[in-house]
Amino acid sequence: MRAIDLCRLSFSLSVVALFSASAFATASTHPKQDARLIQEVVVNFLKTQSAGLPGEVEIIPGIIDTRTTLPACAALEPSLPPGSRAWGNTTVVVNCTVPHQWTIYVRATVKVIADYVVSARPLTQGQSLTAADFTTQKGDLTQLPPGIITDPNQAFNRTMASSIPFGSPLRHDMLRAQTAVKVHQNVKLVSSGRGFSVTAEGKALGNAVEGQIVQVRSASGPVVRGIARMGAIVEVSY
């Protein structure tokens, strides 16, 4: 009986040793994908996608579950799901095709720290903005409403479309360009070039804000087109 038991034990140990050797060989043949490399690919991809954004971009990749086991990939291919962008809380799709096919979705946070324009006092509808009406402060643009103004020059000489309290972020949809030329207004036609400048008088045939095209009937009769400028000035090119 003892001899039989020893034989059974020896056989069992041989089976365990064979299984362990097989598992080791499989692990060696298919090494595990390094999760840190996936995160690095995600960060580099989002850096490229967010290039050109104002301010300082900070990217925080999400944690990949340590229980996730994927075969090592020769070429990781990151992409954004349709309709998403590198802004705020987002998700990056990482695909592998060689030597194995698999896909993993990695969460990430993209912060954009920059200066943006806020009201320096309560502003009322129809108010024309001066430099004293607004200031800038720094923050994460991804946590603010869309259309936030980051360049103070974009608020200067604009008219408020609605009233807002002190400290409110200014958005493009809150502002209207001032009327530079009004219909039937007497305007100055200005045409200039290299080494010359010519002025004439005329009457505007329509309303126009700064930078818009407006038609003007010149004092001599013909109708000309030009770019409206503040101060009842129309720039004409001949």
Side-chain angles (χ1 to χ4, degrees), residues 187-193 196-203 216-220 224 231-238:
V187 299
K188 179 183 291 187
L189 298 171
V190 177
S191 179
S192 59
F196 76 92
S197 179
V198 178
T199 62
E201 300 298 322
K203 181 166 291 190
V216 177
R217 184 174 298 280
S218 63
S220 58
V224 297
I233 296 173
V234 177
E235 296 178 350
V236 181
S237 299
Y238 292 100

Side-chain angles (χ1 to χ4, degrees), residues 85 87 116-117 140-150 168-174:
R85 58 174 181 154
W87 187 268
Y116 60 95
V117 180
D140 183 3
L141 300 185
T142 68
Q143 300 302 308
L144 298 173
I148 291 296
I149 297 176
T150 57
S168 299
L170 293 182
R171 305 191 310 269
H172 287 284
D173 61 354
M174 292 179 173

Side-chain angles (χ1 to χ4, degrees), residues 86-170:
W87 187 268
N89 295 324
T90 188
T91 299
V92 177
V93 183
V94 181
N95 288 304
C96 177
T97 56
V98 179
H100 305 280
Q101 291 188 352
W102 51 259
T103 299
I104 187 171
Y105 296 83
V106 182
R107 300 279 304 188
T109 301
V110 180
K111 296 183 178 181
V112 182
I113 310 301
D115 290 332
Y116 60 95
V117 180
V118 298
S119 57
R121 62 185 70 174
L123 303 177
T124 59
Q125 183 178 6
Q127 179 177 345
S128 177
L129 298 183
T130 67
D133 294 322
F134 52 84
T135 185
T136 59
Q137 67 182 42
K138 188 179 292 291
D140 183 3
L141 300 185
T142 68
Q143 300 302 308
L144 298 173
I148 291 296
I149 297 176
T150 57
D151 182 1
N153 291 324
Q154 295 177 333
F156 187 69
N157 275 341
R158 294 296 191 269
T159 300
M160 292 298 301
S162 59
S163 300
I164 59 173
F166 162 76
S168 299
L170 293 182

